[in-house]
Amino acid sequence: MNASELDGPRVKRTVLGQEGRVVSTSSELTRALGVVAIVASVVLVVLGLFVSPADLFQGDNVRLFYLHVPVAIVALYIAFTVTLVGSVMFLLKGSVFWDLLAGAAAEVGVLFLGLTLVTGMLWGRPTWGAYWVWDPRLTSTAVSFVLYLGYLAVRKLEMDPTARSRRAAVLGIVGFANTIIVKYSVSWWRGLHQGSTLKPLDSQIEGLMMFSFFVGVVAMMAVFAWLLVHRFRLAWLQYQVDERQLEVALRERRSEGSSSGLAQGGI
Amino acid sequence: MLDGVVSLIGRFPALAGINLRIEASEVILLRGPNGAGKSTLLRLCAGLAPLSGGSGRVLGHDLGLRSSRRLLRRQVGLLGHKTSLYDELSVEQNIRFWAKANQADPGMVDVVMDRFGLAGRLRSVKVSGLSAGQRRRTAMAIVVCRRPSLWLLDEPHSGLDQEGRGLVDNLVLDAAAAGATVLVASHEVDRVVDLGARTVTIAGGRAIAESPDVA
Amino acid sequence: MLRDAGLVALKDLRIEWTSRILTAQVLPFGLLVLILFGFGISPERIVQGRDRRTVLEDVSPALFWLAVLFSSLLALGRAFAIEAEDGNLDALQLAGLDPAGVFLGKMLAISAELVVLELVIGGGALLLYGATIEHPLLLVAVLVATTFALSAAGTLYAALGAGIRVRDTLVPLLVLPVLAPVLLGATRATESALYGSASDGWPWAGFLGAFALLYLGAGILFFGSLLEES
């Protein structure tokens, strides 16, 4: 149980909320991340909505890309990779840290994937004339979304926590492989429908568009990291609370023995 | 054998730090109120229930290691509340399947079916058509085929007629005579003590008393 | 591993043979789904273009595989229900059976059941939707590859729900998105086999075979982790 990677000592210090100390999931790290996230987001809004030019073919619709693509990149490439790594490490090491990290990343990942779908559909309405078209990326994203909803459902099952974590870990690994399969099979199927890319007027404007996009990626990564750390710490706190309740339960269980058992002359 | 073992079912500490030493080829009666942790103790000794705290060795296998738990499982015979039978298969098909799965001597199948009164009409009856007592007899026959070195019997007498209870008693005596260790969780204190058992009382997930000469 | 697999597969098939759940309940369900699709899609509607096929014939590969997919969910649920009812999963572990062998055995039994399902539902689809087979060899390859793709992935995911109260609702949620690429590939390949060109279908058949092998490997690797302490 190694939490040091995510600023662990501080978590441990505040975790139990003893002596009236306020329990918090924040730290210097998350505050810094939060500032980065906010600043980058504000810059993104300014750049994306006001400074950067409209696209030659897509017009103002292109502005949605500065949010849509970074969110999709973070969800598909970062969040579920963290879940994959956490799942593999949990199966190898069996430590709660990796299990909780995998779960936290999947939860935030599903949120980002949902955002990807919503922004993708909003972009599709003016561009393609419909909220939903069978675009390969949109379709495979939708399937992955349901796949990871299933992963989260397994994490919420009422059963032995260790066995549940192990099942979730298997799902986290196989589900990742399956996301790749879905992606390739769908684009193979819809091979001719290539999604639009940026088609700017000249190279100078292209630079500005690329910069906005870059800021979007930074902003979304910061938001993701901030959410992930908080979500993980919340799960870690929950785990500590559970461990504490276990101690109480153990004490109760033991006193059960001394009060009932022999005093009543056995059964 | 068990040292401060904690075993959780979900988040409930069914075993709350139990200490227990059992010598090889002993017969032990586990007694205690309902919900004391007897069944969990038996599942733990079978290598099925998880070890969440403390340490334990059963038949020389470390309960904390998954690989050694796997080795342990082959050597125990667990007779629990569930009978592990396939409803759609006949009594004989069930016994033959489990005998093969357990890599038991195929010649044992007919022997045990005779011994537990399953050789006649019941042989080809589907398990779904059996009474609770008949199911338990079938389950016993399967465990006998395994020739375990550690017997874990959970309320073996319950739901059986006089003849069936006699079969259970003989089972325990035979196992002990063959040098196996037997743990019996039972409310039939006198009956099991007559079989020469040492008594361990379990309550609140711990062993609270041991006595060779129980009242 | 193979010995254990054979033992488990024979046992499962024997149970299906005596209980007749497959023939009495799952097969009629599959055929019913075919008929209901016919209600949903008016049989007189014609595809525009040169071919002038009915819409029903045009989408018959998709409807066929959907019917197989839904029926296979029932077969999968049953394969683990028989183990969970009376604590048999514990007994399998106590017997020291190789988890990979148990996985293979379950998978083989389900494959055999799927073949029966596919033949009957496929016959029904040909009859009801009036489809004709252009490339029989491709169709056979697709049936075999899809059978193993469905059974390998299905067995692994059904085991995720083994011994859980909410199994019946959870397993479809887990397994259907995973099988989405299989449905896609099988449908495209079957379209080629029925009224397309075979060269379009073979790559999909290869994809289905690769999918089956991948999940075969995953099942052999992970099945033990899924059964442990469940």
Side-chain angles (χ1 to χ4, degrees):
Chain A
M1 269 146 273
N2 177 7
S4 62
E5 279 95 321
L6 288 177
D7 196 17
R10 191 184 166 86
V11 175
K12 276 191 185 135
R13 193 145 42 82
T14 54
V15 85
L16 298 175
Q18 282 155 330
E19 294 128 31
R21 199 183 287 147
V22 178
V23 176
S24 166
T25 54
S26 73
S27 64
E28 289 84 0
L29 173 70
T30 56
R31 273 190 283 274
L33 270 174
V35 170
V36 172
I38 290 172
V39 170
S41 298
V42 169
V43 173
L44 176 66
V45 167
V46 172
L47 276 176
L49 289 185
F50 304 109
V51 180
S52 76
D55 185 74
L56 179 57
F57 299 111
Q58 298 180 26
D60 284 333
N61 292 340
V62 75
R63 302 181 193 281
L64 209 49
F65 264 117
Y66 305 134
L67 180 65
H68 172 74
V69 180
V71 164
I73 288 175
V74 168
L76 286 168
Y77 295 104
I78 299 180
F80 297 132
T81 308
V82 175
T83 301
L84 171 73
V85 171
S87 299
V88 172
M89 292 306 287
F90 175 75
L91 283 187
L92 291 180
K93 298 240 169 111
S95 74
V96 177
F97 168 82
W98 288 110
D99 177 49
L100 296 181
L101 182 66
E107 247 178 65
V108 185
V110 164
L111 175 73
F112 271 59
L113 214 50
L115 274 176
T116 307
L117 284 174
V118 171
T119 49
M121 285 162 74
L122 285 178
W123 178 83
R125 182 74 175 91
T127 311
W128 293 323
Y131 284 112
W132 190 265
V133 294
W134 294 90
D135 171 72
R137 290 189 209 150
L138 217 50
T139 311
S140 61
T141 306
V143 175
S144 304
F145 183 67
V146 184
L147 204 101
Y148 279 96
L149 279 183
Y151 172 86
L152 294 182
V154 167
R155 293 196 68 89
K156 293 271 182 297
L157 286 177
E158 273 187 43
M159 58 183 290
D160 179 73
T162 321
R164 181 181 58 206
S165 300
R166 215 176 294 119
R167 288 186 187 197
V170 170
L171 200 54
I173 296 169
V174 183
F176 187 83
N178 213 86
T179 302
I180 298 172
I181 296 174
V182 169
K183 192 172 160 45
Y184 281 97
S185 65
V186 172
S187 35
W188 189 6
W189 168 44
R190 311 295 298 182
L192 300 175
H193 300 229
Q194 189 45 259
S196 304
T197 43
L198 302 177
K199 291 189 184 64
L201 266 173
D202 59 54
S203 61
Q204 199 196 340
I205 291 176
E206 181 185 53
L208 199 51
M209 283 177 152
M210 290 312 288
F211 184 68
S212 306
F213 173 68
F214 171 75
V215 171
V217 173
V218 171
M220 287 310 118
M221 273 164 75
V223 170
F224 170 76
W226 185 81
L227 283 171
L228 178 68
V229 174
H230 278 291
R231 184 64 191 88
F232 170 81
R233 285 183 181 159
L234 194 62
W236 186 259
L237 286 171
Q238 184 64 51
Y239 169 68
Q240 302 278 331
V241 170
D242 286 348
E243 287 295 289
R244 271 213 152 177
Q245 280 172 347
L246 193 63
E247 278 166 34
V248 175
L250 265 174
R251 262 201 304 282
E252 275 174 8
R253 180 74 169 147
R254 283 176 186 148
S255 66
E256 210 177 285
S258 46
S259 64
S260 69
L262 275 188
Q264 292 166 10
I267 305 289
Chain B
M1 209 154 73
L2 300 180
D3 191 17
V5 162
V6 176
S7 186
L8 307 177
I9 297 181
R11 300 220 53 95
F12 175 71
L15 296 180
I18 191 167
N19 296 308
L20 195 57
R21 268 204 86 75
I22 294 168
E23 303 302 325
S25 51
E26 251 191 312
V27 178
I28 300 285
L29 165 66
L30 299 173
R31 52 180 284 187
N34 291 328
K38 300 190 295 291
S39 298
T40 308
L41 178 60
L42 293 182
R43 282 178 59 80
L44 180 87
C45 292
L48 287 172
L51 182 81
S52 309
S55 63
R57 294 185 85 79
V58 177
L59 299 177
H61 299 293
D62 187 347
L63 290 179
L65 294 173
R66 222 192 292 176
S67 56
S68 65
R69 277 211 304 271
R70 240 174 235 162
L71 292 174
L72 167 66
R73 285 179 193 150
R74 289 172 198 247
Q75 291 171 272
V76 302
L78 174 68
L79 199 60
H81 300 291
K82 294 187 170 172
T83 47
S84 304
L85 300 173
Y86 294 101
D87 274 355
E88 282 88 355
L89 298 181
S90 72
V91 170
E92 186 180 5
Q93 283 170 333
N94 263 290
I95 297 177
R96 286 203 186 280
F97 168 75
W98 285 114
K100 274 190 203 149
N102 291 318
Q103 304 195 325
D105 172 15
M108 284 290 286
V109 172
D110 289 313
V111 177
V112 294
M113 285 182 57
D114 254 352
R115 179 170 164 193
F116 289 94
L118 303 166
R121 183 187 63 83
L122 289 178
R123 178 187 284 268
S124 52
V125 171
K126 275 194 191 180
V127 167
S128 54
L130 294 185
S131 72
Q134 289 165 333
R135 284 183 84 107
R136 290 193 72 83
R137 283 183 189 213
T138 312
M140 268 196 278
I142 288 169
V143 177
V144 170
C145 282
R146 283 174 68 97
R147 295 176 174 279
S149 340
L150 173 63
W151 291 73
L152 304 163
L153 308 176
D154 201 354
E155 303 291 349
H157 295 96
S158 71
L160 288 176
D161 54 17
Q162 275 310 319
E163 194 200 340
R165 290 156 163 255
L167 286 170
V168 173
D169 294 346
N170 286 334
L171 201 75
V172 174
L173 290 174
D174 284 359
T181 313
V182 185
L183 264 75
V184 188
S186 181
H187 294 298
E188 309 237 352
V189 176
D190 297 339
R191 199 170 182 113
V192 183
V193 168
D194 285 347
L195 299 172
R198 181 160 72 96
T199 305
V200 174
T201 306
I202 310 275
R206 286 192 301 171
I208 54 173
E210 295 186 30
S211 58
D213 50 340
V214 86
Chain C
M1 182 168 91
L2 291 179
R3 189 199 78 99
D4 295 350
L7 196 62
V8 171
L10 280 180
K11 183 263 299 171
D12 276 15
L13 288 175
R14 180 170 281 152
I15 289 174
E16 278 320 311
W17 186 253
T18 47
S19 72
R20 312 263 170 193
I21 300 272
L22 185 75
T23 44
Q25 293 173 20
V26 180
L27 275 178
F29 170 79
L31 292 174
L32 184 67
V33 171
L34 284 185
I35 294 171
L36 291 180
F37 279 140
F39 291 171
I41 303 165
S42 159
E44 288 86 27
R45 222 179 279 165
I46 302 291
V47 179
Q48 299 300 313
R50 286 182 287 124
D51 301 343
R52 309 282 305 160
R53 281 191 302 271
T54 62
V55 168
L56 211 48
E57 189 193 344
D58 200 54
V59 297
S60 60
L63 301 186
F64 162 69
W65 284 116
L66 276 173
V68 170
L69 195 60
F70 290 142
S71 310
S72 73
L73 286 179
L74 299 182
L76 281 173
R78 216 183 122 59
F80 283 89
I82 55 173
E83 305 293 353
E85 265 163 20
D86 199 20
N88 299 28
L89 280 176
D90 279 350
L92 287 173
Q93 294 199 52
L94 287 174
L97 288 184
D98 183 356
V102 177
F103 169 76
L104 269 182
K106 290 253 152 223
M107 184 196 137
L108 287 175
I110 288 170
S111 303
E113 293 167 38
L114 280 177
V115 168
V116 175
L117 273 175
E118 285 163 10
L119 290 180
V120 175
I121 296 179
L126 288 179
L127 211 73
L128 289 171
Y129 303 153
T132 48
I133 302 168
E134 201 92 343
H135 309 288
L137 201 62
L138 173 62
L139 189 65
V140 171
V142 172
L143 286 177
V144 170
T146 310
T147 300
F148 285 113
L150 287 178
S151 64
T155 306
L156 181 63
Y157 277 82
L160 276 165
I164 300 174
R165 267 179 297 110
V166 295
R167 182 189 64 220
D168 294 341
T169 43
L170 179 72
V171 171
L173 171 67
L174 295 180
V175 97
L176 286 178
V178 168
L179 293 180
V182 176
L183 180 70
L184 184 58
T187 306
R188 293 302 144 247
T190 309
E191 280 172 359
S192 306
L194 292 190
Y195 48 73
S197 71
S199 59
D200 287 346
W202 282 108
W204 282 113
F207 163 76
L208 292 166
F211 187 96
L213 281 179
L214 180 86
Y215 269 95
L216 186 68
I220 288 174
L221 192 62
F222 291 129
F223 207 67
S225 299
L226 293 182
L227 292 189
E228 192 84 8
E229 269 127 47
S230 49

